């Protein structure tokens, strides 16, 4: 991204809070700067977005249209509305956490999220792997 693009600022709204951000930043980066927590597994600030875990899903609204996007890969824009804990986001994220509880239940982030969602077990077939397949070690 060139320097001119980085210096372009946009105004958006995250969970009802008006924020200003650089146009090339992702929702996840902007939320973190604003102290708004969005769960994530495969994101690392020094790496390109990988988009594998989908835990960072958020709901965005632009021009009256809503959709679910991966906040680690979606760049902010003027007049974007972001909902990090909408009912749809929470429903999808809870299902993902339940799935990940079966696949890699030992990941600290998954344990924390399972507690948050009150998940004591999982309906999915257990694999009990230690690798969360976030790709961080390889990348
Ligand atoms: Fe966005 Fe994993 S952190 S998909």
């Amino acid at each position: 991204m060139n320097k001119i693009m980085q210096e372009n600022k946009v105004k958006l709204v995250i969970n009802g809070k008006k924020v200003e951000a650089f146009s090339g930043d992702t929702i996840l980066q902007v939320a973190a700067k604003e102290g708004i927590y969005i769960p994530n597994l495969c994101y690392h600030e020094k790496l390109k977005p990988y988009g594998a875990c989908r835990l960072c899903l958020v709901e965005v609204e632009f021009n009256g249209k809503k959709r679910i996007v991966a906040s680690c890969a979606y760049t902010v824009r003027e007049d974007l509305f972001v909902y990090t804990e909408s009912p749809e986001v929470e429903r999808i994220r809870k299902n993902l956490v339940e799935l990940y509880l079966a696949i890699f239940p030992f990941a600290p982030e998954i344990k924390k999220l399972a507690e948050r969602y009150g998940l004591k077990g999982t309906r999915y077939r257990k694999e009990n792997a230690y690798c969360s397949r976030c790709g961080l070690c390889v990348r």
Side-chain angles (χ1 to χ4, degrees):
M1 175 178 325
N2 68 38
K3 193 168 171 53
I4 293 170
M5 266 183 79
Q6 278 187 333
E7 290 174 357
N8 285 340
K9 290 236 177 171
V10 295
K11 290 181 181 138
L12 65 150
V13 178
I14 304 179
N15 296 345
K17 180 182 181 185
K18 290 180 184 171
V19 301
E20 204 174 68
F22 293 113
S23 62
D25 285 350
T26 65
I27 293 172
L28 185 62
Q29 290 170 322
V30 175
K33 280 182 203 159
E34 296 295 325
I36 299 167
Y37 169 69
I38 299 175
N40 62 86
L41 266 186
C42 66
Y43 170 76
H44 190 285
E45 63 188 21
K46 303 230 177 202
L47 299 172
K48 285 185 182 168
Y50 193 50
C53 74
R54 313 313 274 183
L55 278 178
C56 70
L57 292 178
V58 296
E59 191 163 12
V60 295
E61 184 175 359
F62 187 71
N63 281 344
K65 291 185 182 155
K66 286 186 174 180
R67 55 193 279 228
I68 302 288
V69 300
S71 67
C72 67
Y74 195 94
T75 53
V76 295
R77 56 170 68 172
E78 187 78 21
D79 296 329
L80 183 71
F81 288 81
V82 180
Y83 310 95
T84 66
E85 296 179 353
S86 72
E88 184 66 357
V89 167
E90 291 292 274
R91 186 188 65 76
I92 295 169
R93 196 180 284 145
K94 184 179 177 183
N95 263 319
L96 267 177
V97 172
E98 188 179 355
L99 175 65
Y100 291 165
L101 258 185
I103 302 172
F104 41 90
F106 310 109
E109 182 75 356
I110 297 306
K111 286 182 182 175
K112 188 174 83 181
L113 287 168
E115 198 174 305
R116 173 178 161 185
Y117 290 117
L119 292 168
K120 304 253 185 269
T122 175
R123 292 170 288 160
Y124 298 99
R125 190 171 58 87
K126 291 187 179 177
E127 290 182 27
N128 290 337
Y130 283 91
C131 175
S132 65
R133 299 173 200 149
C134 64
L136 285 174
C137 63
V138 176
R139 292 182 292 140

